[in-house]
Amino acid sequence: MSTLASIPDSPPFVVRARLLTPLSDGGTMHEPDALVVVDDDGRIAWVGPAADQPEPLAAASAIDLRPLVVMPGLIDLHVHLPQLPNAGVGAGLELLTWLERHIFPLERAWVDRTVAERLAPAAFRAFAHAGTTTILAYGAVFAPSMDAAFEAAEAHGIRAILGKVMMDRATYDESIAPSTILERSLRESADLAARWHGAADGRLGYAVTPRFAVSCTADMLRESAALAASTGSWWQTHISEDHGEIAEVARLFPEAIDYLDVYDRAGGLGARTVLAHGVHLTDREVARLAETGTRLAHCPSSNLFLASGLMPLARYLEAGLVIGLGSDVAAGPELSMFSAMRVGAYVQNALRVVGGEERASLGPLDWLRMGTLEGARALGLDDVIGSIEVGKEADLIAVDPSLIAPVPGVTDDTPADLMSRLIFRAHPDMVRAAWVRGRLLEGPTTIAVV
Ligand code: GUN
Ligand code: ZN
């Protein structure tokens, strides 16, 4: 019998467990009795059936986590740290109304660094509890609060790419003269990128973060894209989320062909760019995204919560877009990526019913891939994380399948059935452990493993 104390908290270690992971070659590995060997540096040195263990690996030294299932840590490609306190509030409001009423007051509170100091560590624990080991997140417009958030991420151990929000039109920061916003926002973003991009041996990263075309001038969009390129940072913003927002962008940028063209003219498209939502993209926009390799963060829970629309995921995938999943808290009510997968699957079903969508919907293992390896690919980190394969860093979670059984004793023999129940019967406490680079994260309600 193993107990709480036996959950390994730092590398090196060997765990024995049921294993489920997408593979880089397109397949899935499901192994009821597997070993995962994590080396001194927190990398995966060996993975495979316990029966095939290589010599001189001592099976006796393996920590037996069965019946837990070890999977790759989940990747949240779009989330807003200051917004967590209002998660679950404001369903059905139009985006621009919801931002004014429920969101800008919360972000304004980050003018005080101590608010971020209190909230960010709790947020990172909550991500780990949900099984999320990598986030691409927005902060607020205030630079000191971003330092606090990065410091908290550094201490917690989560893999985090964060960005100070940039807004030089319709901002909530009343302390700053409009004529100086652009210059100051660029300077602060550059300073943050210099301090944090690549910090903690590459576990932390910077994303230059103009909020969206409604709150940024063409100058801000262009200069921010140039800053991302010159610092090697990511560039993230929102696109085509709801109809009111799209109409406002058309009004503000009459010279642009469509919403995406606003970002294209700014030099913002490419493989280091992650655009959130894209619910209502035209065929031209989809083709241009594919052509430029620009990434999309699909946030299905958010899109239903704010009644933004049903994103035609299958059409976008067919066009060759690289798409990961985002919780988009607080427009998405829950941090859990299992929850995002569930809502995403329901949206695809709804599109079949009401939209006449004839393309095949994704299966449970496709959703697993999107929440892990595709998220990693969207970040250009698929050679580092996203699956449990030799040479990758050990960003792992251990999930308890007993909590999702419909009645005690029911087990899922096939990987698709297991993943299906993790998605459609997700339990808030089912993630028992989460590791980044083999280091256990504080957050999951770790219990004794019997
Ligand atoms: N568009 C611009 N800002 C936001 C935000 O904070 N949340 C969402 N869902 N959409 C946005
Ligand atoms: Zn968002």
Side-chain angles (χ1 to χ4, degrees), residues 131-201:
T132 299
T133 54
T134 295
I135 59 169
L136 172 59
Y138 290 50
V141 300
F142 309 105
S145 67
M146 295 315 299
D147 279 313
F150 271 113
E151 286 160 20
E154 186 173 39
H156 177 260
I158 193 168
R159 194 181 293 273
I161 302 163
L162 312 177
K164 171 194 122 69
V165 169
M166 307 174 81
M167 301 164 78
D168 66 337
R169 160 148 73 190
T171 180
Y172 50 76
D173 179 5
E174 285 116 13
S175 71
I176 184 162
S179 61
T180 63
I181 292 182
L182 174 58
E183 181 274 327
R184 179 161 149 193
S185 185
L186 284 166
R187 179 168 34 82
E188 289 177 344
S189 298
D191 290 348
L192 285 163
R195 275 198 288 287
W196 294 107
H197 189 58
D201 283 331

Side-chain angles (χ1 to χ4, degrees), residues 78-80 83 98 138 211 237-238 241 276-277 299 302 328-331:
H78 184 73
V79 62
H80 299 259
Q83 300 182 10
W98 170 82
Y138 290 50
R211 180 170 216 119
T237 188
H238 296 83
E241 182 174 353
H277 302 296
C299 309
S302 162
D328 194 23
V329 164

